[in-house]
Amino acid sequence: MQKYFVTQTQLFWKNSADEFKRVSSICLAAMMTALNTLIGAFRIVVIPKFLTISFASLATASCAMMCGPLLTGTVAAIADILEFILRPDGTFFFGFTLNEFLTGLIYGAFFYRVSTISLKRCIIARLCIVLLMNMFLTPLWLYILYGDSFFALLTTRVIKNIVMFPIDVALLYFVTSTTARILKQRRR
């Protein structure tokens, strides 16, 4: 059992790395980068510099299904840099680019080469993003940047994430199941 898991895990990451060699994957990733950048431009600012709502990660999740975690993480980081170039909002900080890379990596780990999308998979994937990025890393980066209390930043984020979690999961499920359906039709 353990040997099978290790072999499958190695194969998963090798296949993900091979996506960098496919022209179709690079073109698809470039289109998803553009879509991510476009969606990211339309964000809702709740508290300037501290709390915004964006749905750009939906393009990242769709890209993750087709391009794998490594390529998706890379293009999510590129999209973050492009968003900052096109619409600078505050100081550029590499920590937020790292967040985007990790978001692509996590979505890729959950959705790459998955033929059937379950609500449970979407809930767990989104929960990982919320706990790691939204509740830990982003308040840490804001603390480093602005020096405000980590726990004060965390309080507003908890409320926002509790309210947004069901909405994010529903949208994530809709986008990934639609992408899976399109991929099935394309394989026929």
Side-chain angles (χ1 to χ4, degrees):
M1 178 70 174
Q2 184 178 5
K3 185 178 178 183
Y4 172 78
F5 179 74
V6 170
T7 305
Q8 288 303 106
T9 303
Q10 290 171 341
L11 185 63
F12 175 83
W13 291 106
K14 182 188 177 313
N15 288 341
S16 176
D18 287 344
E19 295 291 341
F20 282 98
K21 299 175 187 174
R22 293 190 185 95
V23 175
S24 61
S25 294
I26 298 293
C27 291
L28 183 66
M31 288 190 312
M32 288 298 171
T33 302
L35 184 61
N36 189 331
T37 305
L38 180 68
I39 294 172
F42 299 103
R43 56 181 174 245
I44 302 163
V45 178
V46 180
I47 301 172
K49 294 185 182 180
F50 292 105
L51 192 61
T52 59
I53 298 171
S54 174
F55 299 105
S57 67
L58 296 173
T60 303
S62 186
C63 183
M65 291 186 70
M66 301 175 275
C67 299
L70 298 176
L71 183 56
T72 302
T74 303
V75 299
I78 291 169
D80 180 67
I81 294 167
L82 283 174
E83 278 181 45
F84 181 78
I85 291 170
L86 295 173
R87 187 178 170 191
D89 186 22
T91 311
F92 178 79
F93 185 66
F94 187 73
F96 297 119
T97 305
L98 177 65
N99 279 12
E100 293 301 318
F101 177 81
L102 291 173
T103 298
L105 197 71
I106 290 170
Y107 278 149
F110 276 95
F111 299 123
Y112 182 51
R113 296 201 172 172
V114 173
S115 58
T116 309
I117 300 297
S118 68
L119 186 59
K120 181 180 176 183
R121 183 178 291 267
C122 290
I123 290 170
I124 295 171
R126 190 65 203 161
L127 190 62
C128 288
I129 300 292
V130 165
L131 293 177
L132 181 63
M133 258 52 88
N134 299 359
M135 303 302 281
F136 178 69
L137 288 178
T138 299
L140 179 63
W141 305 144
L142 292 171
Y143 171 74
I144 290 170
L145 273 173
Y146 301 113
D148 291 334
S149 171
F150 180 84
F151 293 106
L153 294 169
L154 191 61
T155 306
T156 57
R157 295 199 158 275
V158 167
I159 295 166
K160 176 229 174 193
N161 284 292
I162 288 172
V163 170
M164 289 300 297
F165 189 77
I167 298 166
D168 286 339
V169 168
L171 289 171
L172 181 64
Y173 181 72
F174 174 74
V175 167
T176 54
S177 59
T178 303
T179 303
R181 216 172 315 124
I182 291 168
L183 288 174
K184 281 181 188 176
Q185 290 174 354
R186 199 176 94 190
R187 288 185 193 130
R188 289 183 198 172

